[in-house]
Each structure stands twice: as structure tokens, then as C-alpha cells.
């Protein structure tokens, strides 16, 4: 039995589906449906998988979306600090992308989280940052 496993193990490695931008985008669509249906725990699990795939192929937009979706799911669960963690992880990815709309969404979610933990000045700073982005 062990010889069988050793013989076919390399083949099994190649059978696993490869991460592609299209596959990641399809998973992101499924993630949005899970959020709409209120399945945040499933959404979190899916987005952790998406994040791994996006990191594997260095897909900036996929990483941005996965980080944002994780932050959104944790914010919906009132886990603001965990949400802010994923928003922080998201910030460096803007260097590899031209996604001002996602940066604006990120700042809005930051402000919601800061309001939830009663850090009102920080919430206002994030909203003011959006004014600067929108003005350009």
C-alpha cells in the first residue's frame, strides 16, 4: 500500500486545481452571495481560501477583495478589531493596484469599525481621507 501512495503522490500534486484570476473572481462572486444570504462564517472560510490563492499567484485585486471581504464579515459580526486587522493587511496592496474605489470602501469600513469601538476621532479621520482621495 505504501508503494502505491509513493508512486502516485506526485501525480496527485498535479491534479489539484491551479489558482487563476478567473477562478478567484468566480469565488469572489460566490463570496458576495454568501454575504447577502447572511452566511458570514462560510464567507470567512471562502475568503481565507481566496486570499491564499491570490497570494500564490500574486493577484493584487484578488488579495484586495479577499482582505476587504474578511474585514467586512468580521465587522458585520461586531468583531471590529479583527476587521481592522484585515483592513491593515489590505493597505500595502494598493501599491500594486489602481483601485481608488476599494480604498474609499476600506476607509468607510474603518470608520464604521472605529465608531463601533467608540474611537470617533479616528472614524472622522478616515472619512476625511476619502475627501482627499475623491478630490483627485
Amino acid at each position: 500500500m505504501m508503494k502505491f501512495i509513493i508512486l502516485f503522490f506526485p501525480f496527485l500534486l498535479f491534479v489539484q486545481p491551479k489558482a487563476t484570476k478567473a477562478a478567484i473572481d468566480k469565488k469572489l462572486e460566490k463570496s458576495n452571495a454568501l454575504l447577502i444570504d447572511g452566511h458570514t462564517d462560510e464567507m470567512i472560510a471562502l475568503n481565507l481560501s481566496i486570499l491564499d490563492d491570490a497570494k500564490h499567484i500574486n493577484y493584487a485585486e484578488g488579495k484586495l477583495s479577499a482582505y476587504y471581504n474578511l474585514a467586512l464579515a468580521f465587522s458585520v459580526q461586531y468583531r471590529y478589531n479583527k476587521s481592522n486587522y484585515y483592513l491593515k493587511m489590505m493597505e500595502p496592496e494598493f501599491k500594486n493596484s489602481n483601485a481608488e474605489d476599494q480604498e474609499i470602501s476600506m476607509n468607510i469600513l474603518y470608520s464604521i469599525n472605529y465608531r463601533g469601538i467608540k474611537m470617533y476621532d479616528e472614524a472622522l479621520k478616515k472619512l476625511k481621507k476619502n475627501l482627499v482621495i475623491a478630490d483627485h
Side-chain angles (χ1 to χ4, degrees), residues 37-67:
D37 293 340
H39 301 294
T40 52
D41 289 333
E42 291 174 43
M43 180 188 174
I44 290 168
L46 178 59
N47 277 280
L48 288 170
S49 169
I50 293 168
L51 185 57
D52 285 342
D53 290 347
K55 284 180 179 179
H56 185 70
I57 64 169
N58 199 24
Y59 179 31
E61 283 76 18
K63 289 187 276 187
L64 280 169
S65 294
Y67 282 132

Side-chain angles (χ1 to χ4, degrees), residues 24-118:
I24 290 170
D25 291 342
K26 188 169 183 145
K27 285 183 177 181
L28 286 167
E29 287 177 24
K30 182 178 180 186
S31 171
N32 293 337
L34 289 171
L35 176 65
I36 291 168
D37 293 340
H39 301 294
T40 52
D41 289 333
E42 291 174 43
M43 180 188 174
I44 290 168
L46 178 59
N47 277 280
L48 288 170
S49 169
I50 293 168
L51 185 57
D52 285 342
D53 290 347
K55 284 180 179 179
H56 185 70
I57 64 169
N58 199 24
Y59 179 31
E61 283 76 18
K63 289 187 276 187
L64 280 169
S65 294
Y67 282 132
Y68 182 78
N69 287 345
L70 288 164
L72 182 60
F74 286 117
S75 183
V76 166
Q77 293 179 340
Y78 307 109
R79 297 169 65 188
Y80 301 118
N81 289 327
K82 186 87 169 178
S83 176
N84 283 346
Y85 168 79
Y86 284 104
L87 291 173
K88 274 265 191 260
M89 299 297 292
M90 184 180 182
E91 288 180 25
E93 294 302 322
F94 287 110
K95 294 175 190 165
N96 305 320
S97 177
N98 190 18
E100 286 183 350
D101 57 331
Q102 277 196 308
E103 190 171 0
I104 290 170
S105 296
M106 177 190 72
N107 287 328
I108 291 170
L109 189 53
Y110 259 131
S111 69
I112 291 168
N113 292 342
Y114 284 138
R115 184 185 54 88
I117 53 179
K118 301 188 182 345

